[in-house]
Amino acid sequence: MSFTLGELLFWVGVFAVIITAVMLFLAKDRIKSLPISFLQNYVGVLFLVSGAVKAVDPLGTAYKMEQYFAEFEATFSGTWLDFLSGLFPKLAEVSIGFSVVMIVFELVLAIMLILGTRLKTTSISFLLLVVFFTILTGFTYLTAYVPSGVNFFEFGSWGAFKETNMRVTDCGCFGDFIKLKPFTSFLKDIFLLIPGAIFIFARNQMHQIGSKKLRTVLSFGSIPIILIYCFSNYVWDIPGVDFRPFSIGKDVRTTKEIEMEAQANVQVTGYILTKKDEAGNTLETAEMSMDQYLKDYQKYPKAEGWSADQITSKPEIESTKISDFEVQTLDGNDATDNILFEEGYSIMVLAHKLKYDAQPVQIMVKDTITRLDTIQVNKDSMFIQESIVEIVEKEQSVDQYSWPEAYLETYKQVATPFINAAQEAGITCYEVVGLTDTKMLEAFKKEVGIDIPFYMADDILLKTIVRSNPGFVLWKDGKIIHKWHHNKLPSFEEVKNTYIK
């Protein structure tokens, strides 16, 4: 089941009306202003939904924040805000903690709004949070005007709006539950600034339900509950509700074929022409249809600084992350079809980041020095003979790999026995990892005792498929049958009896 933003806002309004009506019936004396009470309940329910769908998948929010931190670092580096650029790598290192704190803050704030807990703190916190969201969504939207290779603060070099220029494709406001266009997200946050201002200046008109002690207990007593729920969705298990395109039951093979066909049918309908000076500043833009461009393109020569960007029709089906499902062998050959068209059941082990450390060490190796001699047999024939002159020892630098002990134990105690049992039962097994050192992979396979093919893929794709490192996916004929967090992986015998028919 999927929602649009309009449908979500409608149902939020319905629940806000119900909550307000109940308050009027049970605690009418607490309602000082009906419109402001409704606004409290409306925004409170909206933030409950927004926080809840992110609490379902805290890692998803963390990954989104990592994207933002990386872009802010690149944006501020070398500018008048360069002193801030070093902050963002540090924030990226604690992105999951940042994510959980933000989710808890949003949900507790929603409860405080509905109950009317500590109105001054609540109203200021709400406004600050909306300002924070507005900065994120505004940055995302405005980067569409910033061509590749141009810094965000080089305002004179901004060009025409181009969606593919966006540094972050969506804000993650509602996780994977609803994907909003950046401009829609930005407008949403601009409008939320209105109740933010109202709560600041009309705080004395906001309702407060129950006693001060009850409001405090209900608001802050929810923190451990929310924390436990967040941890259950990434520390101990994968999310209990999966809004991502690679959900259980999804026919990835067929969906990818349909999406790729829709993309292939996209038509070029026109062009946006941009003229820039030598410094990269935009001087002039022009938009025209395909027919007009074919007729007049010679009037916009590249030698004079003109460049052309295509305007295309919308695909019949909007692409999802499934369109980006691409896997390659360790030597760089495409292996996507090998996986999607694997007949019968197969087990994919995924590790978006294999944790390891590499230290160069010096080792002694034997080097054989040879000599080639040309020996003439007769005047018409000769042959070359190779002979050993000397065997010497020399130093050679090689990488020695090590892995965190806990990570190795996850493989040795969980992954390896499961894979070995599956292979003995005739089930194809393989592992897909984020781009990494191929020599390390060979050493890792020996260390953990598994003998399966390894492939590589984009780490964001692997994070989307399963929120676990490593994670496990059972496939059948290009369809996802089930997937597990490494902490919840059952024995292969259980998997066989339950899922392999």
Side-chain angles (χ1 to χ4, degrees):
M1 183 178 182
S2 60
F3 275 85
T4 64
L5 180 61
E7 290 170 336
L8 174 64
L9 296 178
F10 169 78
W11 285 109
V12 166
V14 169
F15 280 104
V17 167
I18 294 171
I19 293 171
T20 306
V22 171
M23 288 181 177
L24 277 172
F25 180 74
L26 297 178
K28 187 176 182 180
D29 58 316
R30 298 280 183 167
I31 306 294
K32 300 173 184 178
S33 168
L34 190 59
I36 290 181
S37 286
F38 171 77
L39 198 58
Q40 271 182 262
N41 293 329
Y42 188 92
V43 174
V45 173
L46 182 64
F47 270 44
L48 276 178
V49 174
S50 173
V53 295
K54 289 198 280 283
V56 165
D57 183 17
L59 277 179
T61 302
Y63 297 150
K64 183 61 62 178
M65 294 315 301
E66 286 177 6
Q67 286 183 272
Y68 274 115
F69 294 147
E71 292 303 331
F72 283 141
E73 180 189 5
T75 298
F76 292 156
S77 181
T79 70
W80 57 280
L81 289 171
D82 186 71
F83 66 95
L84 289 175
S85 62
L87 171 66
F88 297 107
K90 294 181 175 62
L91 288 174
E93 291 174 4
V94 295
S95 60
I96 183 59
F98 188 95
S99 165
V100 171
V101 168
M102 191 170 69
I103 292 167
V104 171
F105 181 70
E106 187 173 0
L107 286 171
V108 171
L109 184 60
I111 296 169
M112 293 173 74
L113 275 168
I114 294 171
L115 295 178
T117 308
R118 300 189 182 184
L119 294 179
K120 183 177 180 180
T121 301
T122 299
S123 56
I124 293 174
S125 299
F126 176 78
L127 182 60
L128 290 175
L129 185 60
V130 173
V131 168
F132 172 71
F133 286 155
T134 305
I135 291 171
L136 293 184
T137 57
F139 171 79
T140 301
Y141 168 65
L142 292 175
T143 54
Y145 293 95
V146 185
S148 177
V150 174
N151 187 276
F152 184 84
F153 293 109
E154 296 174 12
F155 302 117
S157 299
W158 285 23
F161 179 90
K162 189 177 179 183
E163 193 167 339
T164 54
N165 284 338
M166 289 185 187
R167 308 300 193 262
V168 181
T169 53
D170 68 271
C171 68
C173 303
F174 294 97
D176 289 290
F177 177 60
I178 298 177
K179 292 289 188 180
L180 298 181
K181 294 288 186 181
F183 183 62
T184 304
S185 299
F186 185 43
L187 281 183
K188 168 185 67 67
D189 292 328
I190 290 291
F191 279 111
L192 283 174
L193 290 172
I194 298 172
I198 291 173
F199 294 154
I200 291 289
F201 294 108
R203 189 168 62 246
N204 60 344
Q205 295 298 305
M206 296 171 70
H207 66 246
Q208 291 185 296
I209 303 300
S211 66
K212 181 179 179 180
K213 183 177 180 180
L214 178 63
R215 292 193 299 270
T216 301
V217 169
L218 290 176
S219 298
F220 298 105
S222 64
I223 293 177
I225 298 172
I226 298 169
L227 282 172
I228 291 171
Y229 182 67
C230 285
F231 292 157
S232 71
N233 287 318
Y234 81 95
V235 176
W236 306 313
D237 203 350
I238 57 176
V241 181
D242 193 351
F243 300 119
R244 300 184 305 282
F246 294 94
S247 56
I248 293 171
K250 174 65 72 173
D251 187 339
V252 178
R253 178 204 297 175
T254 303
T255 303
K256 181 176 173 68
E257 288 177 338
I258 292 171
E259 290 183 4
M260 297 305 289
E261 183 179 355
Q263 291 176 33
N265 291 334
V266 167
Q267 302 293 317
V268 178
T269 59
Y271 283 86
I272 295 176
L273 295 137
T274 306
K275 184 178 183 180
K276 295 184 178 182
D277 60 20
E278 293 181 359
N281 298 313
T282 300
L283 303 176
E284 189 180 347
T285 60
E287 183 175 330
M288 59 186 65
S289 67
M290 185 68 172
D291 291 340
Q292 187 67 33
Y293 175 77
L294 293 175
K295 181 180 178 182
D296 296 336
Y297 73 92
Q298 291 180 331
K299 298 178 182 178
Y300 305 91
K302 289 183 179 180
E304 294 182 11
W306 287 97
S307 62
D309 291 312
Q310 293 179 342
I311 302 172
T312 61
S313 60
K314 295 291 184 183
E316 296 177 0
I317 299 172
E318 191 169 347
S319 296
T320 67
K321 197 67 179 175
I322 288 177
S323 291
D324 298 330
F325 185 88
E326 292 180 0
V327 178
Q328 64 184 39
T329 62
L330 299 187
D331 53 6
N333 295 318
D334 183 62
T336 306
D337 286 351
N338 294 1
I339 290 174
L340 292 183
F341 288 87
E342 175 75 37
E343 293 186 4
Y345 291 94
S346 62
I347 291 169
M348 174 193 285
V349 185
L350 297 96
H352 66 262
K353 184 178 182 180
L354 267 176
K355 306 172 185 178
Y356 74 97
D357 185 35
Q359 294 292 336
V361 295
Q362 300 296 320
I363 62 172
M364 299 300 295
V365 296
K366 291 184 177 182
D367 186 22
T368 303
I369 299 173
T370 61
R371 182 179 65 213
L372 299 178
D373 296 314
T374 302
I375 299 175
Q376 187 162 355
V377 178
N378 53 51
K379 66 176 183 178
D380 296 321
S381 67
M382 62 182 63
F383 70 92
I384 296 174
Q385 177 175 291
E386 182 179 13
S387 58
I388 297 174
V389 175
E390 186 180 7
I391 298 176
V392 298
E393 288 191 340
K394 67 177 184 178
E395 275 194 336
Q396 181 177 320
S397 179
V398 297
D399 284 330
Q400 188 173 70
Y401 301 101
S402 61
W403 301 267
E405 192 60 36
Y407 198 68
L408 285 178
E409 286 304 303
T410 297
Y411 270 87
K412 291 179 179 179
Q413 302 298 324
V414 178
T416 302
F418 184 86
I419 291 167
N420 290 341
Q423 288 182 309
E424 287 177 9
I427 303 297
T428 300
C429 298
Y430 54 90
E431 178 152 358
V432 186
V433 301
L435 301 179
T436 191
D437 181 356
T438 55
K439 291 182 180 178
M440 181 277 294
L441 292 179
E442 291 302 321
F444 181 76
K445 289 169 67 174
K446 292 178 182 177
E447 179 70 25
V448 298
I450 55 175
D451 184 20
I452 57 175
F454 269 58
Y455 300 98
M456 288 197 281
D458 178 64
D459 66 314
I460 296 177
L461 172 69
L462 302 183
K463 291 174 181 177
T464 305
I465 296 174
V466 63
R467 302 296 203 210
S468 179
N469 185 27
F472 300 80
V473 180
L474 176 65
W475 295 75
K476 183 185 181 186
D477 300 328
K479 182 178 181 179
I480 294 177
I481 304 301
H482 207 78
K483 51 187 178 178
W484 298 271
H485 191 283
H486 61 80
N487 283 333
K488 292 291 184 177
L489 183 67
S491 68
F492 176 74
E493 196 62 30
E494 293 176 71
V495 171
K496 180 180 177 182
N497 293 335
T498 307
Y499 302 103
I500 299 178
K501 309 300 181 182

